[in-house]
PDB file of all heavy atoms in Angstrom:
ATOM      1  N   GLY A 121      -8.361  14.415   5.573  1.00 97.00           N
ATOM      2  CA  GLY A 121      -7.839  15.653   6.058  1.00 97.00           C
ATOM      3  C   GLY A 121      -7.758  15.698   7.588  1.00 97.00           C
ATOM      4  O   GLY A 121      -8.291  14.838   8.268  1.00 97.00           O
ATOM      5  N   LEU A 122      -7.056  16.691   8.065  1.00 98.00           N
ATOM      6  CA  LEU A 122      -6.883  16.880   9.487  1.00 98.00           C
ATOM      7  C   LEU A 122      -8.250  17.254  10.128  1.00 98.00           C
ATOM      8  O   LEU A 122      -9.009  17.955   9.512  1.00 98.00           O
ATOM      9  CB  LEU A 122      -5.880  17.952   9.780  1.00 98.00           C
ATOM     10  CG  LEU A 122      -4.400  17.575   9.524  1.00 98.00           C
ATOM     11  CD1 LEU A 122      -3.576  18.828   9.352  1.00 98.00           C
ATOM     12  CD2 LEU A 122      -3.878  16.718  10.680  1.00 98.00           C
ATOM     13  N   VAL A 123      -8.496  16.755  11.317  1.00 97.00           N
ATOM     14  CA  VAL A 123      -9.683  17.136  12.084  1.00 97.00           C
ATOM     15  C   VAL A 123      -9.316  18.344  12.914  1.00 97.00           C
ATOM     16  O   VAL A 123      -8.768  18.225  13.984  1.00 97.00           O
ATOM     17  CB  VAL A 123     -10.173  15.955  12.960  1.00 97.00           C
ATOM     18  CG1 VAL A 123     -11.428  16.362  13.733  1.00 97.00           C
ATOM     19  CG2 VAL A 123     -10.458  14.707  12.108  1.00 97.00           C
ATOM     20  N   THR A 124      -9.633  19.505  12.424  1.00 97.00           N
ATOM     21  CA  THR A 124      -9.137  20.751  13.012  1.00 97.00           C
ATOM     22  C   THR A 124      -9.657  20.978  14.445  1.00 97.00           C
ATOM     23  O   THR A 124      -9.016  21.641  15.246  1.00 97.00           O
ATOM     24  CB  THR A 124      -9.447  21.970  12.146  1.00 97.00           C
ATOM     25  OG1 THR A 124     -10.892  21.995  11.911  1.00 97.00           O
ATOM     26  CG2 THR A 124      -8.742  21.854  10.800  1.00 97.00           C
ATOM     27  N   GLU A 125     -10.842  20.399  14.735  1.00 96.00           N
ATOM     28  CA  GLU A 125     -11.386  20.561  16.081  1.00 96.00           C
ATOM     29  C   GLU A 125     -10.496  19.950  17.124  1.00 96.00           C
ATOM     30  O   GLU A 125     -10.595  20.324  18.328  1.00 96.00           O
ATOM     31  CB  GLU A 125     -12.792  19.909  16.139  1.00 96.00           C
ATOM     32  CG  GLU A 125     -13.844  20.566  15.296  1.00 96.00           C
ATOM     33  CD  GLU A 125     -13.815  20.094  13.832  1.00 96.00           C
ATOM     34  OE1 GLU A 125     -12.913  19.277  13.506  1.00 96.00           O
ATOM     35  OE2 GLU A 125     -14.647  20.500  13.065  1.00 96.00           O
ATOM     36  N   SER A 126      -9.649  19.009  16.754  1.00 97.00           N
ATOM     37  CA  SER A 126      -8.784  18.327  17.711  1.00 97.00           C
ATOM     38  C   SER A 126      -7.532  19.136  18.050  1.00 97.00           C
ATOM     39  O   SER A 126      -6.833  18.860  19.041  1.00 97.00           O
ATOM     40  CB  SER A 126      -8.336  16.980  17.184  1.00 97.00           C
ATOM     41  OG  SER A 126      -9.466  16.119  17.002  1.00 97.00           O
ATOM     42  N   ALA A 127      -7.258  20.203  17.283  1.00 97.00           N
ATOM     43  CA  ALA A 127      -6.027  20.984  17.498  1.00 97.00           C
ATOM     44  C   ALA A 127      -5.982  21.610  18.892  1.00 97.00           C
ATOM     45  O   ALA A 127      -4.919  21.649  19.522  1.00 97.00           O
ATOM     46  CB  ALA A 127      -5.891  22.041  16.405  1.00 97.00           C
ATOM     47  N   ALA A 128      -7.113  22.110  19.349  1.00 96.00           N
ATOM     48  CA  ALA A 128      -7.135  22.774  20.639  1.00 96.00           C
ATOM     49  C   ALA A 128      -7.105  21.777  21.777  1.00 96.00           C
ATOM     50  O   ALA A 128      -6.646  22.092  22.896  1.00 96.00           O
ATOM     51  CB  ALA A 128      -8.414  23.629  20.793  1.00 96.00           C
ATOM     52  N   LEU A 129      -7.564  20.528  21.527  1.00 97.00           N
ATOM     53  CA  LEU A 129      -7.625  19.513  22.584  1.00 97.00           C
ATOM     54  C   LEU A 129      -6.267  18.877  22.808  1.00 97.00           C
ATOM     55  O   LEU A 129      -5.848  18.678  23.954  1.00 97.00           O
ATOM     56  CB  LEU A 129      -8.628  18.452  22.235  1.00 97.00           C
ATOM     57  CG  LEU A 129     -10.080  18.792  22.216  1.00 97.00           C
ATOM     58  CD1 LEU A 129     -10.940  17.627  21.708  1.00 97.00           C
ATOM     59  CD2 LEU A 129     -10.544  19.211  23.625  1.00 97.00           C
TER      60      LEU A 129
END
Side-chain angles (χ1 to χ4, degrees):
L122 288 159
V123 180
T124 56
E125 295 83 357
S126 297
L129 292 175

